[in-house]
Amino acid sequence: MLFFREKMDQNLIDQIRRANDIVDVIQGYLPLKRVGSNFRGLCPFHNDSRPSLYVSQSKQIFKCFACGKAGNVIGFVADFEKLTFIEAVKKLAQRAGIQVPEYEKTKVVNTKREQLLSVYKSAAEFFTSSLFAFGQNVLDYLKKRSFSPETAKELQLGYALNSEKALLNHLLKEGYSVSLLKDSGLFGNYGGGLTDLFKDRLMFPIHNSLGEVIAFGGRILEPKEGVGKYINSPGTELYTKGKELYGLFKTKYNISKAGTAIICEGYFDFLRLYENGFTNSVASLGTALTEDQINLLARFCNRVIMLYDGDSAGIKAAVRAGLLCLSRGMEVLIANLPAEEDPDSLILKQGKMAMQEVVDKSIPLINFLATDPRPEQPTAERIELILDALRILKDRIKQELLLQEVSDAFGITVGALNSKLRRSSVSVSAESSEQTVPQYESFEERNVLALALKDYESYKLLANDLDSSYFNNKRYRQVYNFLITQNLKSEPWEPAALLDNIENNEIKESLAELLFEDLQQMCFEDCLTGLRIRKVQRDLEEMDRAISKDPKNMELLKEKEKLALKYRQMTRKVVNKVLY
């Protein structure tokens, strides 16, 4: 099969971006007020009560200094209107009166991942069409459970036909190769032939955060002996169990705007919540919440409400997941459902307002562990569980504040808690101390990157004269590695073009922050020299650590002598420049 994607000429994208002033465009969505050389307004991507969104007209970029959202004019329109990059470009072209030719879909050489994404997209469309063409029994089942056809369409539910080869034959007709289908995880291999993995099941497509279908979950409608109620796609190049959150592709913008995510367990819990307006929800796909899922969610919010089943197993899972979130510095609340209810059943029986009341009355995790009788552990063990989470927390200020919460909730002095926390941490610190590499303040790294974005000559100097080893800070090293892969033009110099369609939000937000820097009094060459000196300092300290382990190694001693000489020469030049 030939694989296709829409492609737009980069020169046309540049023309469209230049024709749409970012301040004018954003003011079409929300009011902005001039503050010095920039403009400021309420950020639409989270619940902003103090204006945190800054827009630079001279640099044609925006950044929210509260939630971190950043980009150029194309990125703003794409994020605000939930459009793809190309859709946002076309919308801005229409606004500027620029004719966009109808590009034919261009044949490209695809990676295996892109081919599998195409297979899953075709499979999802087949399941959805089968639901409405041949799945009346499934629609009746959904109706019996009070789910509307509109919800089924919006969340792309489907039906796997009761056939051994329905999906297989459809995909073969679409032109996909047998070898690719073998690797897709959608088929079993029995007696040497492929057969459909999902048969006679209600199908839930699982999307990544970009909205691409990467896996499926399938549920039988009636209990069958020896048949599991649910089966999920196996691990593939696209999908690893425990790394995705069901529904996040639909709710990530509302989660970001609210600053809060409601986490439930299963597909139907999510469907019920979403259908009833709780559009900042996600589901953990029926598994225990994992670190990967928490890290994914932390890109969009810093506050979570654990809305698990009200029985003892649900409470246990909610506390475990909540402690994991707490260890990542998130604010965690526990929603208190009646013992016999889950989110789906509560809304069905008592309605949306009853669920809203449960959410509104959610209890902070620490207070919940201090006051609720349902967790099985005795008080001392509950405190130890919290301290285990706080030991992992890297933010010392948050750690101290949370210790105070534990003290207030359990009636234990902060001193006693701190002593217990530190005493139990000694062995861990001792084990890791030999592996620890000192982390320096990154002002030189930050300043060099910010100044390199001011003009083309500095940018080329950065790319040609340095390598990633000069950047000790992980975030700035990522930015550097991204910058050296770009091909910016010298005329016109448009660093805002760097923010076109970057999938890595951390790099995009860091770049925007660097572009906002105003370092007019600093000299790029001086900052570059400072960075080089800092690198030699790090090399010397690393050499000292190596020598301390092998003090008789003459090669190491000679190498250190060379480095020390280089360091003295570099620092002498700096001193002479200052004096003369």
Side-chain angles (χ1 to χ4, degrees), residues 460-477:
K460 292 306 289 183
L461 194 60
L462 175 86
N464 295 332
D465 280 26
L466 301 182
D467 60 56
S468 59
S469 67
Y470 283 82
F471 295 88
N472 197 40
N473 179 282
K474 179 184 174 184
R475 183 161 67 113
Y476 296 143
R477 188 162 60 248

Side-chain angles (χ1 to χ4, degrees), residues 98-292:
I98 296 173
Q99 191 72 29
V100 176
E102 282 299 319
Y103 286 92
E104 293 186 8
K105 293 186 175 180
T106 308
K107 182 181 173 184
V108 294
V109 178
N110 281 92
T111 64
K112 177 74 169 293
R113 183 179 187 280
E114 289 172 313
Q115 293 177 24
L116 287 173
L117 283 172
S118 182
V119 169
Y120 271 82
K121 184 174 183 291
S122 293
E125 290 168 352
F126 178 69
F127 289 142
T128 299
S129 66
S130 297
L131 174 62
F132 292 98
F134 308 109
Q136 189 56 50
N137 59 327
V138 186
L139 292 171
D140 291 342
Y141 172 80
L142 290 170
K143 184 178 180 182
K144 184 179 176 182
R145 295 196 61 157
S146 301
F147 290 108
S148 69
E150 289 71 32
T151 296
K153 286 177 182 175
E154 186 170 0
L155 293 166
Q156 302 168 24
L157 303 189
Y159 173 51
L161 297 172
N162 190 13
S163 164
E164 295 287 323
K165 295 182 181 288
L167 178 63
L168 175 65
N169 290 334
H170 172 76
L171 293 176
L172 287 173
K173 285 179 185 175
E174 291 271 300
Y176 296 101
S177 68
V178 172
S179 62
L180 181 62
L181 297 183
K182 278 182 180 178
D183 294 339
S184 69
L186 293 172
F187 304 97
N189 197 341
Y190 302 105
L194 295 181
T195 60
D196 292 0
L197 178 66
F198 299 98
K199 295 179 282 289
D200 195 25
R201 288 179 182 265
L202 168 62
M203 297 300 292
F204 299 90
I206 298 168
H207 302 74
N208 61 20
S209 62
L210 299 175
E212 298 165 328
V213 180
I214 55 172
F216 292 98
R219 188 194 195 283
I220 58 172
L221 305 181
E222 299 294 338
K224 296 178 184 178
E225 189 174 346
V227 177
K229 183 187 290 186
Y230 284 96
I231 58 172
N232 292 313
S233 296
T236 65
E237 188 172 329
L238 299 180
Y239 173 69
T240 303
K241 184 180 178 181
K243 284 201 168 185
E244 304 297 336
L245 290 161
Y246 182 67
L248 181 63
F249 82 106
K250 275 285 184 187
T251 62
K252 61 183 179 180
Y253 295 106
N254 288 325
I255 288 171
S256 179
K257 192 170 181 180
T260 301
I262 298 172
I263 305 177
C264 60
E265 291 182 276
Y267 297 113
F268 284 114
D269 290 334
F270 175 83
L271 291 182
R272 188 71 64 199
L273 288 164
Y274 186 83
E275 189 174 62
N276 283 270
F278 296 92
T279 54
N280 60 325
S281 304
V282 291
S284 57
L285 292 165
T287 62
L289 199 67
T290 67
E291 289 187 26
D292 285 326

Side-chain angles (χ1 to χ4, degrees), residues 312 315 319 336 363 367-379 382:
S312 59
I315 293 297
V319 168
N336 209 345
I363 304 167
N367 288 345
F368 179 84
L369 284 170
T371 59
D372 197 284
R374 286 173 294 176
E376 299 168 353
Q377 300 88 350
T379 300
R382 296 188 195 189

Side-chain angles (χ1 to χ4, degrees), residues 445 448-449 452-453 459 462-464 466-487 498 502 504 507-508 510-511 514 531:
E445 298 174 22
V448 162
L449 290 171
L453 294 169
Y459 168 72
L462 175 86
N464 295 332
L466 301 182
D467 60 56
S468 59
S469 67
Y470 283 82
F471 295 88
N472 197 40
N473 179 282
K474 179 184 174 184
R475 183 161 67 113
Y476 296 143
R477 188 162 60 248
Q478 284 181 322
V479 171
Y480 171 81
N481 287 333
F482 171 79
L483 285 174
I484 61 174
T485 65
Q486 304 306 297
N487 187 26
L498 289 166
I502 300 179
N504 187 315
I507 291 177
K508 182 191 282 189
S510 298
L511 269 175
L514 291 166
L531 188 63

Side-chain angles (χ1 to χ4, degrees), residues 6 19 157 191 221 247 255 268 271 355 390 395 408 421 442 510:
E6 188 173 13
L157 303 189
L221 305 181
I255 288 171
F268 284 114
L271 291 182
M355 177 55 72
L390 296 188
D395 188 326
D408 295 341
L421 181 75
S442 303
S510 298

